[in-house]
């Protein structure tokens, strides 16, 4: 391995391995590793496969064995230097005999940092080389560590003219069956699925991960419903004994007989602050429930509020080849009134692919702290 281009290719190979751990390793960081021998040939790879399991570089170096001597370890996160659930990876790296380590991200966790110094002290050359893909990979972990907030993904299905329902509120089905399967897969990888009362009243969704061989996580369903309008007959309430369900509502609503009925149905009620802001409620619930990732599947009301509080990090949009041509049909986000295009929220398109006939776009919101 010699050229910078080759390092980028190998680092991206490590990143692609790391992505396979989504929903399995959080609150840990997704990590992948590739080992080359002294001649630059790839001899082993590894990834962090489950929370608390062996780290990616350990897995890769163990596979490589003696062949790693004089070689290079490429890893998407700086090797850790502390005793956590596993011993420090720096020890395994030093023992492996590699002469060089290239990592794509300094460990944002103060407890685990110091890997670069420990390796350098042992005579190993350490380089930092992020790629566009590793920046995407590491952003959720950096965000969680920096802000003590989960990574929040907003998902919606829209027509070609950007509408999420007809003027009567009908939205079944804008997206294709294949797109909806992908949404179920995503629900099976997150810790909570949020929606608003408007969506519950219009669509009566279950918001569970269905038709999957094995969901990786069981998401808590959370409904934002200030005045506690959610009917006892709603599917979410009817299934609350089997799937954890929380409703966020005002303090006054907590004291009503309807609140008692909902509690008896197995629903947890949590108080919303009087100003309706969600940041602190989400932060508190995240600490209590150890959430890492939230998927939001709501209409424009809740989306608008979450965007206003800068809580959305990523957007997953399914655009179907349907035109409604009706200005009374709702859009995906409401509550903003920019006068210039430049005043709109500027997003970064990270990926787009097809789930025929839909086009799926993955976008990121820039962290102002970057
Ligand atoms: N195509 C899709 O992907 C998709 C997905 C979901 C829903 N939908 C469609 O979206 C439509 C529903 O849209 P919607 O905007 O009414 O629904 P929504 O976003 O699900 O819920 C909005 C409701 O929640 C309240 N709310 C949100 N955040 C709050 C907060 N922090 N504190 C207190 N209350 C809060 C809103 O109050 P305010 O009005 O006071 O803001 C409003 O009453 C339906 O037609 C549904 O079919 C489409």
């Amino acid at each position: 391995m010699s050229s910078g281009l080759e390092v980028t290719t190998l680092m991206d190979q490590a990143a692609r391995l790391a992505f396979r751990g989504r929903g399995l390793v959080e609150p840990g960081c997704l990590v992948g590793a590739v080992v080359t021998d002294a001649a630059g040939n790839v001899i082993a790879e590894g990834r962090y496969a489950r929370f608390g399991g062996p780290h990616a570089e350990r897995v890769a170096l163990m596979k490589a064995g003696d062949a790693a001597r004089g070689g290079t370890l490429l890893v998407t996160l700086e090797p850790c230097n502390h005793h956590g659930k596993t011993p420090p990876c720096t020890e395994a790296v030093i023992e492996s005999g590699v002469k060089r380590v290239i990592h794509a991200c300094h460990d944002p966790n103060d407890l685990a940092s110091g890997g670069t110094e420990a390796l350098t002290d042992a005579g190993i050359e350490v380089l930092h080389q992020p790629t566009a893909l590793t920046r995407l990979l590491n952003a959720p972990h950096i965000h969680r560590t920096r802000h003590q907030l989960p990574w929040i993904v907003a998902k919606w299905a829209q027509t070609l003219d950007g509408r999420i329902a007809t003027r009567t509120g009908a939205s079944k089905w804008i997206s294709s069956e294949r797109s909806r399967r992908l949404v179920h897969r995503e629900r099976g990888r997150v810790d909570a699925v949020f929606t608003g009362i408007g969506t519950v009243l219009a669509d009566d969704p279950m918001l569970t991960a269905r038709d999957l061989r094995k969901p990786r996580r069981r998401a808590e369903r959370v409904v934002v419903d200030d005045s506690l309008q959610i009917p006892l007959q709603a599917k979410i309430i009817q299934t609350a004994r089997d799937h954890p369900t929380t409703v966020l509502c005002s303090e006054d609503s907590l004291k009503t007989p309807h609140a008692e009925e909902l509690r008896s149905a197995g629903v947890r009620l949590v108080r919303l602050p009087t100003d309706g802001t969600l940041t602190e409620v989400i932060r508190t619930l995240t600490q209590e429930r150890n959430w890492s990732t939230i998927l939001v599947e709501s209409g424009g009301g809740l989306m608008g509020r979450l965007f206003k509080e800068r809580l959305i990090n990523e957007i997953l949009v399914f655009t179907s080849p349907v035109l409604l041509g009706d200005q009374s049909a709702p859009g995906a986000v409401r509550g903003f009134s920019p006068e210039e295009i430049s005043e709109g929220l500027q997003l970064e398109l990270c990926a787009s692919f097809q789930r025929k006939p839909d086009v799926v776009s993955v976008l990121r919101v820039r962290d102002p702290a970057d």
Side-chain angles (χ1 to χ4, degrees), residues 145-280:
T145 315
R146 200 184 258 170
H147 302 290
Q148 279 83 53
L149 281 167
W151 184 255
I152 306 188
V153 180
K155 167 259 144 187
W156 65 77
Q158 64 179 28
T159 62
L160 192 61
D161 49 346
R163 308 297 171 166
I164 61 158
T166 65
R167 59 165 64 205
T168 63
S171 65
K172 286 176 183 162
W173 294 108
I174 292 175
S175 56
S176 68
E177 208 180 308
R178 292 186 66 208
S179 295
R180 298 202 302 276
R181 269 208 297 274
L182 193 118
V183 173
H184 281 272
R185 194 188 75 183
E186 291 307 302
R187 286 180 189 164
R189 292 180 174 187
V190 300
D191 298 304
V193 178
F194 270 56
T195 194
I197 183 63
T199 300
V200 174
L201 296 177
D203 300 344
D204 196 15
M206 283 267 278
L207 300 179
T208 50
R210 299 187 293 281
D211 299 329
L212 299 180
R213 245 179 299 144
K214 194 166 177 268
R216 294 179 171 191
R217 297 188 167 217
R218 202 156 79 113
E220 179 165 349
R221 299 167 308 170
V222 181
V223 183
V224 181
D225 178 12
D226 198 33
S227 47
L228 215 53
Q229 298 173 59
I230 193 163
L232 283 177
Q233 298 71 33
K235 283 185 192 147
I236 287 186
I237 305 302
Q238 292 290 313
T239 53
R241 296 229 170 267
D242 303 321
H243 303 274
T245 307
T246 294
V247 176
L248 308 183
C249 63
S250 69
E251 182 154 25
D252 287 349
S253 304
L254 284 173
K255 300 169 198 146
T256 59
H258 186 44
E260 220 27 71
E261 290 173 328
L262 290 168
R263 285 194 194 95
S264 304
V267 177
R268 285 189 275 198
L269 298 180
V270 172
R271 189 180 70 84
L272 271 174
T274 34
D275 63 3
T277 53
L278 290 159
T279 305
E280 285 317 312

Side-chain angles (χ1 to χ4, degrees), residues 101-113:
V101 170
I102 308 177
H103 71 80
C105 181
H106 292 289
D107 200 319
N109 176 359
D110 284 343
L111 266 180
S113 65

Side-chain angles (χ1 to χ4, degrees), residues 31 33 55-62 73 75 77-80 89 93:
V31 188
H55 289 183
E57 54 272 60
R58 250 179 207 283
V59 175
L61 290 169
M62 204 138 79
L73 166 71
V75 58
L77 181 70
E78 179 185 12
C80 71
C89 287
V93 177

Side-chain angles (χ1 to χ4, degrees), residues 248-314:
L248 308 183
C249 63
S250 69
E251 182 154 25
D252 287 349
S253 304
L254 284 173
K255 300 169 198 146
T256 59
H258 186 44
E260 220 27 71
E261 290 173 328
L262 290 168
R263 285 194 194 95
S264 304
V267 177
R268 285 189 275 198
L269 298 180
V270 172
R271 189 180 70 84
L272 271 174
T274 34
D275 63 3
T277 53
L278 290 159
T279 305
E280 285 317 312
V281 185
I282 291 179
R283 188 172 275 130
T284 307
L285 288 173
T286 297
Q287 274 159 13
E288 279 173 21
R289 326 272 225 251
N290 207 12
W291 286 342
S292 295
T293 316
I294 294 176
L295 184 68
V296 183
E297 297 191 48
S298 75
L302 180 57
M303 287 295 179
R305 285 165 179 262
L306 291 167
F307 273 108
K308 278 212 165 126
E309 289 186 56
R310 303 200 69 98
L311 283 164
I312 304 289
N313 306 107
E314 185 171 309

